[in-house]
Amino acid sequence: MFLGRIARFTQPLFRRNLHITRKLNQAMAVDGNNILAESLKKQGIEYVFGIVGIPVIETSLALQAAGLKYVGMRNEQAACYAAQAIGYLTGKPGVCLVVSGPGLLHCIGGMANAQVNCWPLLVIAGSCPEDHEGIGGFQEWLQVESSRMYSKYAARPPSPRLIPLHVEKAVRYASAGRPGVSYLDMPATLLTAEIDEDKVPLDYYNAGPIQLAHPNPELVEQAADLLSKAERPLIIVGKGAAYGRAEEAVSKLVEATKVPFLPTPMGKGVVPDESAYCVSTARTQALLQADVVLLLGARLNWMLHFGQPPRYAPDAKVIQVDISPEEFHNSVKSEVAVHSDIKPFVEALSRKLSEKNFSLAPTSSWWQALSEKQKKNTQFVEEQASSKLLPLNYYAVFKAVQANIPRDSIIVSEGANTMDIGRGILLNNKPRHRLDAGTFGTMGVGPGFAVAAAMWCRDYAPDKRVICVEGDSAFGFSGMEIETMFRYKLPVIIVIVNNNGIYGGFERQVMEDLQASGDLAQCTPPTALSTEVRYEKMMEMFGASGHLCRTVPEIKAALKEAVKVTDRPSIINVLIDPQASRKPQAFNWLTESKL
């Protein structure tokens, strides 16, 4: 009887204490989504671009709750392009968050682009629940295996407790040495799994800043000796010098030695394009006649014609400086190959050349030959840019754009002639201020790059503008990212250089005649697009107006109005001559193999 009374008294108390205990235990539990978010935060990740769905909707909310900035895009490829561009601009990997199966597969092009371009990127994809694998789970795919070819590191954390370990490792791999891609696979069951918070080592490891690699002093001495004895030295400044924040050191080297330099497309601005020592307008002759080439963070791939004849002198000697020794002697045997970050090497080289009192005289025969070629080529460009003929050519369009955009804007550019001709006229005097199709030659990167650049400007350079110069074909790949720009109020100025085609199109009547001659799939030229497409009318979907331009005064007026807009994007659609092209080349633009 007594025991029964005790039981009746204690059971409600026991139940209440059990309920409290369960609540306390629940409060101490943390799931995979929040572990992932906190792990990324611990590693200094700031930006995430992506498209959500099952199973990463809660992941994106956890990322925002942890203080990361999430930008929702309209296409996984564009999200991947944006994430890698922010990695290049900040030096810290951007994250691309996507869903399982097709979501990740849509990222593969972006991953390959980042890997070839050497930009830091972390892709995180949800995947089907582990207990659904092998039996036809929703969007089931071999995601880790599929990613390995396009990344430096690909893994699936085996438990929630080990998520911080793999996040740290992924960030480190993406950033260290030659930057590239890391991939983390996050099954739905891992994201929702819970574990006691005190068992999660969020401070597993937080790497400090990566220390710069310094050059072997003997190799610096050899490089200085070779360069100082050269009759026709040339410096090539690559994207690696821009990513390595070596602009001050490289600028001092050029100013002190007065050696002519060529920037690669995204090496533009490390030393200002307006420098007296920039010989981009005599590029072909500079490469062809240089006897010693100092290669700073650039690769002798197709963009530099492999460093081989006929684009280079047969006896030209190369001093190759790269953070990745695997790159040495890739297409030609370098005379001096230096494993080093660009900045410490250039600083050491400058000291050695100063000791030798080396400086190239502006009256040297080398400078005189280059100056004469620059004058001749500049005259041709100016004649083309000053043409009053309608429809406009590329040069006239770019001259008008260059003259009417804010100084030191970030220029995003893609297309065939649009990008190639624009490199010579749209100038960059600051490093990391040009983003284009890059080493992989990827089309469709423009709007994604522009979103990333505009986000970076908003946070770090609010007075700077982003100018996205697109061919009409290139814009078609990712044009709906205009909605992303509206949603996040990004004032990107999009200039579409519209020639009705890929490389070149046709005038309206010619196109209609071709299409009327038979079956459309057989008679429509593969390089042709619809004529005079009114891309600027996309602005009307968002209650705004775009600009259609056929003349230089119209371009100037449109840019003047667009620069005033600070809370949304603008589209300027410039109709040009469909058959407009660039200056005739002394060599085929793509050097052919001799094999």
Side-chain angles (χ1 to χ4, degrees), residues 394-414:
Y394 287 99
Y395 298 90
V397 172
F398 291 136
K399 181 181 179 182
V401 172
Q402 173 65 28
N404 291 279
I405 58 176
R407 185 174 176 82
D408 294 332
S409 295
I410 294 181
I411 297 172
V412 179
S413 183
E414 64 169 331

PDB file of all heavy atoms in Angstrom, residues 394-414:
ATOM      1  N   TYR A 394      33.407  46.530 -84.205  1.00  0.00           N
ATOM      2  CA  TYR A 394      33.769  46.287 -82.804  1.00  0.00           C
ATOM      3  C   TYR A 394      34.591  47.434 -82.214  1.00  0.00           C
ATOM      4  O   TYR A 394      34.374  47.854 -81.071  1.00  0.00           O
ATOM      5  CB  TYR A 394      34.592  44.996 -82.680  1.00  0.00           C
ATOM      6  CG  TYR A 394      33.799  43.731 -82.859  1.00  0.00           C
ATOM      7  CD1 TYR A 394      33.790  43.056 -84.076  1.00  0.00           C
ATOM      8  CD2 TYR A 394      33.073  43.193 -81.804  1.00  0.00           C
ATOM      9  CE1 TYR A 394      33.082  41.867 -84.233  1.00  0.00           C
ATOM     10  CE2 TYR A 394      32.365  42.011 -81.945  1.00  0.00           C
ATOM     11  CZ  TYR A 394      32.369  41.359 -83.168  1.00  0.00           C
ATOM     12  OH  TYR A 394      31.660  40.200 -83.319  1.00  0.00           O
ATOM     13  N   TYR A 395      35.548  47.927 -82.983  1.00  0.00           N
ATOM     14  CA  TYR A 395      36.476  48.922 -82.461  1.00  0.00           C
ATOM     15  C   TYR A 395      35.741  50.200 -82.057  1.00  0.00           C
ATOM     16  O   TYR A 395      36.045  50.791 -81.014  1.00  0.00           O
ATOM     17  CB  TYR A 395      37.549  49.228 -83.512  1.00  0.00           C
ATOM     18  CG  TYR A 395      38.397  48.041 -83.871  1.00  0.00           C
ATOM     19  CD1 TYR A 395      38.038  47.187 -84.915  1.00  0.00           C
ATOM     20  CD2 TYR A 395      39.569  47.755 -83.175  1.00  0.00           C
ATOM     21  CE1 TYR A 395      38.812  46.090 -85.244  1.00  0.00           C
ATOM     22  CE2 TYR A 395      40.359  46.661 -83.494  1.00  0.00           C
ATOM     23  CZ  TYR A 395      39.974  45.830 -84.534  1.00  0.00           C
ATOM     24  OH  TYR A 395      40.740  44.741 -84.856  1.00  0.00           O
ATOM     25  N   ALA A 396      34.796  50.629 -82.883  1.00  0.00           N
ATOM     26  CA  ALA A 396      34.034  51.841 -82.567  1.00  0.00           C
ATOM     27  C   ALA A 396      33.202  51.646 -81.303  1.00  0.00           C
ATOM     28  O   ALA A 396      33.097  52.554 -80.468  1.00  0.00           O
ATOM     29  CB  ALA A 396      33.135  52.214 -83.747  1.00  0.00           C
ATOM     30  N   VAL A 397      32.634  50.454 -81.143  1.00  0.00           N
ATOM     31  CA  VAL A 397      31.834  50.162 -79.948  1.00  0.00           C
ATOM     32  C   VAL A 397      32.712  50.209 -78.707  1.00  0.00           C
ATOM     33  O   VAL A 397      32.378  50.860 -77.698  1.00  0.00           O
ATOM     34  CB  VAL A 397      31.148  48.788 -80.075  1.00  0.00           C
ATOM     35  CG1 VAL A 397      30.485  48.393 -78.743  1.00  0.00           C
ATOM     36  CG2 VAL A 397      30.121  48.802 -81.194  1.00  0.00           C
ATOM     37  N   PHE A 398      33.851  49.534 -78.756  1.00  0.00           N
ATOM     38  CA  PHE A 398      34.693  49.452 -77.565  1.00  0.00           C
ATOM     39  C   PHE A 398      35.328  50.789 -77.213  1.00  0.00           C
ATOM     40  O   PHE A 398      35.534  51.094 -76.036  1.00  0.00           O
ATOM     41  CB  PHE A 398      35.767  48.384 -77.746  1.00  0.00           C
ATOM     42  CG  PHE A 398      35.219  46.986 -77.778  1.00  0.00           C
ATOM     43  CD1 PHE A 398      35.669  46.066 -78.705  1.00  0.00           C
ATOM     44  CD2 PHE A 398      34.229  46.593 -76.893  1.00  0.00           C
ATOM     45  CE1 PHE A 398      35.156  44.780 -78.739  1.00  0.00           C
ATOM     46  CE2 PHE A 398      33.707  45.314 -76.924  1.00  0.00           C
ATOM     47  CZ  PHE A 398      34.171  44.401 -77.848  1.00  0.00           C
ATOM     48  N   LYS A 399      35.642  51.596 -78.222  1.00  0.00           N
ATOM     49  CA  LYS A 399      36.176  52.928 -77.934  1.00  0.00           C
ATOM     50  C   LYS A 399      35.136  53.750 -77.176  1.00  0.00           C
ATOM     51  O   LYS A 399      35.463  54.441 -76.195  1.00  0.00           O
ATOM     52  CB  LYS A 399      36.563  53.638 -79.226  1.00  0.00           C
ATOM     53  CG  LYS A 399      37.144  55.026 -78.989  1.00  0.00           C
ATOM     54  CD  LYS A 399      37.501  55.731 -80.293  1.00  0.00           C
ATOM     55  CE  LYS A 399      38.061  57.131 -80.027  1.00  0.00           C
ATOM     56  NZ  LYS A 399      38.379  57.851 -81.293  1.00  0.00           N
ATOM     57  N   ALA A 400      33.878  53.647 -77.587  1.00  0.00           N
ATOM     58  CA  ALA A 400      32.812  54.381 -76.909  1.00  0.00           C
ATOM     59  C   ALA A 400      32.597  53.859 -75.494  1.00  0.00           C
ATOM     60  O   ALA A 400      32.379  54.636 -74.554  1.00  0.00           O
ATOM     61  CB  ALA A 400      31.512  54.286 -77.715  1.00  0.00           C
ATOM     62  N   VAL A 401      32.670  52.548 -75.328  1.00  0.00           N
ATOM     63  CA  VAL A 401      32.496  51.963 -73.991  1.00  0.00           C
ATOM     64  C   VAL A 401      33.636  52.401 -73.077  1.00  0.00           C
ATOM     65  O   VAL A 401      33.414  52.853 -71.948  1.00  0.00           O
ATOM     66  CB  VAL A 401      32.423  50.423 -74.072  1.00  0.00           C
ATOM     67  CG1 VAL A 401      32.454  49.808 -72.678  1.00  0.00           C
ATOM     68  CG2 VAL A 401      31.160  49.991 -74.810  1.00  0.00           C
ATOM     69  N   GLN A 402      34.874  52.276 -73.558  1.00  0.00           N
ATOM     70  CA  GLN A 402      36.040  52.638 -72.747  1.00  0.00           C
ATOM     71  C   GLN A 402      35.973  54.097 -72.296  1.00  0.00           C
ATOM     72  O   GLN A 402      36.331  54.420 -71.157  1.00  0.00           O
ATOM     73  CB  GLN A 402      37.323  52.394 -73.543  1.00  0.00           C
ATOM     74  CG  GLN A 402      38.600  52.875 -72.888  1.00  0.00           C
ATOM     75  CD  GLN A 402      38.938  52.138 -71.601  1.00  0.00           C
ATOM     76  OE1 GLN A 402      38.575  50.987 -71.425  1.00  0.00           O
ATOM     77  NE2 GLN A 402      39.619  52.814 -70.700  1.00  0.00           N
ATOM     78  N   ALA A 403      35.499  54.964 -73.163  1.00  0.00           N
ATOM     79  CA  ALA A 403      35.477  56.394 -72.851  1.00  0.00           C
ATOM     80  C   ALA A 403      34.348  56.787 -71.904  1.00  0.00           C
ATOM     81  O   ALA A 403      34.386  57.889 -71.341  1.00  0.00           O
ATOM     82  CB  ALA A 403      35.360  57.197 -74.152  1.00  0.00           C
ATOM     83  N   ASN A 404      33.368  55.900 -71.690  1.00  0.00           N
ATOM     84  CA  ASN A 404      32.175  56.320 -70.956  1.00  0.00           C
ATOM     85  C   ASN A 404      31.831  55.452 -69.751  1.00  0.00           C
ATOM     86  O   ASN A 404      30.751  55.593 -69.181  1.00  0.00           O
ATOM     87  CB  ASN A 404      30.976  56.361 -71.913  1.00  0.00           C
ATOM     88  CG  ASN A 404      31.099  57.483 -72.927  1.00  0.00           C
ATOM     89  OD1 ASN A 404      30.796  58.629 -72.631  1.00  0.00           O
ATOM     90  ND2 ASN A 404      31.563  57.151 -74.128  1.00  0.00           N
ATOM     91  N   ILE A 405      32.739  54.573 -69.355  1.00  0.00           N
ATOM     92  CA  ILE A 405      32.518  53.795 -68.132  1.00  0.00           C
ATOM     93  C   ILE A 405      33.406  54.362 -67.023  1.00  0.00           C
ATOM     94  O   ILE A 405      34.428  54.981 -67.301  1.00  0.00           O
ATOM     95  CB  ILE A 405      32.815  52.297 -68.333  1.00  0.00           C
ATOM     96  CG1 ILE A 405      34.259  52.064 -68.794  1.00  0.00           C
ATOM     97  CG2 ILE A 405      31.818  51.692 -69.318  1.00  0.00           C
ATOM     98  CD1 ILE A 405      34.643  50.598 -68.923  1.00  0.00           C
ATOM     99  N   PRO A 406      33.019  54.167 -65.756  1.00  0.00           N
ATOM    100  CA  PRO A 406      33.852  54.670 -64.661  1.00  0.00           C
ATOM    101  C   PRO A 406      35.248  54.063 -64.712  1.00  0.00           C
ATOM    102  O   PRO A 406      35.414  52.884 -65.042  1.00  0.00           O
ATOM    103  CB  PRO A 406      33.091  54.212 -63.416  1.00  0.00           C
ATOM    104  CG  PRO A 406      31.677  54.060 -63.861  1.00  0.00           C
ATOM    105  CD  PRO A 406      31.754  53.576 -65.274  1.00  0.00           C
ATOM    106  N   ARG A 407      36.229  54.862 -64.381  1.00  0.00           N
ATOM    107  CA  ARG A 407      37.609  54.392 -64.403  1.00  0.00           C
ATOM    108  C   ARG A 407      37.784  53.251 -63.410  1.00  0.00           C
ATOM    109  O   ARG A 407      37.210  53.244 -62.321  1.00  0.00           O
ATOM    110  CB  ARG A 407      38.560  55.534 -64.063  1.00  0.00           C
ATOM    111  CG  ARG A 407      40.035  55.159 -64.190  1.00  0.00           C
ATOM    112  CD  ARG A 407      40.922  56.366 -63.995  1.00  0.00           C
ATOM    113  NE  ARG A 407      42.332  56.003 -64.033  1.00  0.00           N
ATOM    114  CZ  ARG A 407      43.054  55.821 -65.133  1.00  0.00           C
ATOM    115  NH1 ARG A 407      42.480  55.977 -66.323  1.00  0.00           N
ATOM    116  NH2 ARG A 407      44.335  55.499 -65.082  1.00  0.00           N
ATOM    117  N   ASP A 408      38.578  52.277 -63.776  1.00  0.00           N
ATOM    118  CA  ASP A 408      38.896  51.116 -62.943  1.00  0.00           C
ATOM    119  C   ASP A 408      37.661  50.289 -62.602  1.00  0.00           C
ATOM    120  O   ASP A 408      37.549  49.733 -61.503  1.00  0.00           O
ATOM    121  CB  ASP A 408      39.625  51.542 -61.670  1.00  0.00           C
ATOM    122  CG  ASP A 408      41.011  52.125 -61.964  1.00  0.00           C
ATOM    123  OD1 ASP A 408      41.596  51.727 -62.990  1.00  0.00           O
ATOM    124  OD2 ASP A 408      41.484  52.973 -61.183  1.00  0.00           O
ATOM    125  N   SER A 409      36.739  50.214 -63.541  1.00  0.00           N
ATOM    126  CA  SER A 409      35.630  49.270 -63.401  1.00  0.00           C
ATOM    127  C   SER A 409      36.169  47.854 -63.531  1.00  0.00           C
ATOM    128  O   SER A 409      37.211  47.616 -64.151  1.00  0.00           O
ATOM    129  CB  SER A 409      34.574  49.511 -64.492  1.00  0.00           C
ATOM    130  OG  SER A 409      33.965  50.761 -64.346  1.00  0.00           O
ATOM    131  N   ILE A 410      35.442  46.900 -62.948  1.00  0.00           N
ATOM    132  CA  ILE A 410      35.750  45.495 -63.197  1.00  0.00           C
ATOM    133  C   ILE A 410      35.082  45.102 -64.502  1.00  0.00           C
ATOM    134  O   ILE A 410      33.867  45.273 -64.663  1.00  0.00           O
ATOM    135  CB  ILE A 410      35.259  44.609 -62.047  1.00  0.00           C
ATOM    136  CG1 ILE A 410      36.046  44.913 -60.773  1.00  0.00           C
ATOM    137  CG2 ILE A 410      35.412  43.119 -62.409  1.00  0.00           C
ATOM    138  CD1 ILE A 410      35.652  44.072 -59.580  1.00  0.00           C
ATOM    139  N   ILE A 411      35.878  44.612 -65.430  1.00  0.00           N
ATOM    140  CA  ILE A 411      35.361  44.282 -66.758  1.00  0.00           C
ATOM    141  C   ILE A 411      35.246  42.768 -66.890  1.00  0.00           C
ATOM    142  O   ILE A 411      36.235  42.039 -66.769  1.00  0.00           O
ATOM    143  CB  ILE A 411      36.267  44.854 -67.866  1.00  0.00           C
ATOM    144  CG1 ILE A 411      36.281  46.388 -67.782  1.00  0.00           C
ATOM    145  CG2 ILE A 411      35.789  44.398 -69.243  1.00  0.00           C
ATOM    146  CD1 ILE A 411      37.284  47.043 -68.705  1.00  0.00           C
ATOM    147  N   VAL A 412      34.025  42.313 -67.122  1.00  0.00           N
ATOM    148  CA  VAL A 412      33.759  40.902 -67.418  1.00  0.00           C
ATOM    149  C   VAL A 412      33.519  40.821 -68.912  1.00  0.00           C
ATOM    150  O   VAL A 412      32.771  41.629 -69.468  1.00  0.00           O
ATOM    151  CB  VAL A 412      32.532  40.397 -66.647  1.00  0.00           C
ATOM    152  CG1 VAL A 412      32.248  38.940 -66.982  1.00  0.00           C
ATOM    153  CG2 VAL A 412      32.719  40.570 -65.145  1.00  0.00           C
ATOM    154  N   SER A 413      34.148  39.876 -69.579  1.00  0.00           N
ATOM    155  CA  SER A 413      33.999  39.824 -71.030  1.00  0.00           C
ATOM    156  C   SER A 413      34.023  38.387 -71.528  1.00  0.00           C
ATOM    157  O   SER A 413      34.809  37.566 -71.048  1.00  0.00           O
ATOM    158  CB  SER A 413      35.122  40.607 -71.710  1.00  0.00           C
ATOM    159  OG  SER A 413      34.952  40.630 -73.113  1.00  0.00           O
ATOM    160  N   GLU A 414      33.143  38.096 -72.454  1.00  0.00           N
ATOM    161  CA  GLU A 414      33.178  36.793 -73.123  1.00  0.00           C
ATOM    162  C   GLU A 414      32.557  36.908 -74.506  1.00  0.00           C
ATOM    163  O   GLU A 414      31.754  37.783 -74.786  1.00  0.00           O
ATOM    164  CB  GLU A 414      32.462  35.731 -72.299  1.00  0.00           C
ATOM    165  CG  GLU A 414      30.983  35.966 -72.102  1.00  0.00           C
ATOM    166  CD  GLU A 414      30.277  34.772 -71.505  1.00  0.00           C
ATOM    167  OE1 GLU A 414      30.738  33.643 -71.742  1.00  0.00           O
ATOM    168  OE2 GLU A 414      29.262  34.972 -70.829  1.00  0.00           O
TER     169      GLU A 414
END
